[in-house]
Amino acid sequence: MTIERDARLRDVESWGGYFRFAIDAPSLGGGAKPGQFVMVKVSDGDSPLLRRPLGIHDAGPGGIELFFAVAGRGTEILAGKKPGDRLDIIGPLGRGFTVEAAPKGARALLVGGGRGIAPLAFLARTLAAAGAKPVILYGGRTAADIPLRGRLDKAGFEVLCSTDDGSFGFAGFVTALADREIGKDKPAFVYACGPDPMMKAMAAVTARHGVPAEFSLESIMGCGVGACWGCVHRIRTEAGDGWVKICEEGPVFPGERVIWP
Ligand code: FES
C-alpha cells in the first residue's frame, strides 16, 4: 500500500454522470491487481472528511485509471477535477479477483452492472494476457448507463450488452443475459461486480448452473484499511457465519461464502 499525495490527473473522459480518470501515479499502478481499490481524497479541506473508495479500472507501470459515477457530494467534487490537478490517493487496497481461476484457454464470464464494470476491464485484460478467454457482460438501466461499451469493443474484448429498458442490446437484466450465456456455453468461472440485488441474483444463477464465481462487494468505507469497522458484511467461514471487513478481507469474495442481505 502506498500513500500517493502527488498523483497527477492526466486525462478525463465523461458521459453524463460517468467519468473515467487516467492518473499518473507509478507508485500505485505498478503493483495493482484486478479487483483492488483505492481511497481518493476528494477535496483539499476537511469536507467531505472521508476519502472515497473507487475500484481500479486499469493499471500499469505509469499509473491507474478510475471509472466512477457521480453518486453524492464526494464523487460530485471529484467529477469537477481537471487534467493537471493533483490527487491524494491511498492504494492499491484489498484482495482482488483470482485470475488463476480461469485457466489458459478457458472461457470466463465477467458480469458488470452499471458502475460495477469499473474493475472488470483490468480483469479482462489480465485474463486475456494469461491466455483465458474473457467475455464481458455489461448491463445498465438504459443505454446511457453502459457508456464504456464502445471503448471495451475497441480494446478488442468480446462484449455483450443488456439494458433493462431494451434501449441497447439484450432487453432485460444483465443476470438474465448471463443465465442465457451460461446455459449456451458453460464458462469455467464467473466474476461479477455491481449493486447488491444484481449480485444476489447472479449468485443464484451461478449456483443453479454449478459454476464457481467471485463477487466484488460494494460498501460505504470510512478508512479502507481495516481501522473503522465501517464496511462489514456477513460471510460464511469454516468457523461459522460472521462479520468481516470488506476493505481488508475483500472486496472480492467466493460466491459460496457471501451471505446476501
Ligand atoms: Fe474502515 Fe473497512 S472501511 S474498516
Side-chain angles (χ1 to χ4, degrees), residues 176-193:
L177 175 60
D179 196 10
R180 186 190 79 180
E181 288 302 305
I182 295 172
K184 275 204 299 203
D185 184 3
K186 198 166 167 175
F189 207 80
V190 170
Y191 304 90
C193 184

Side-chain angles (χ1 to χ4, degrees), residues 220-231 245-248:
I220 292 170
M221 289 191 188
C223 67
V225 293
C228 73
W229 287 90
C231 63
K245 299 172 198 166
I246 289 180
C247 68
E248 221 173 29

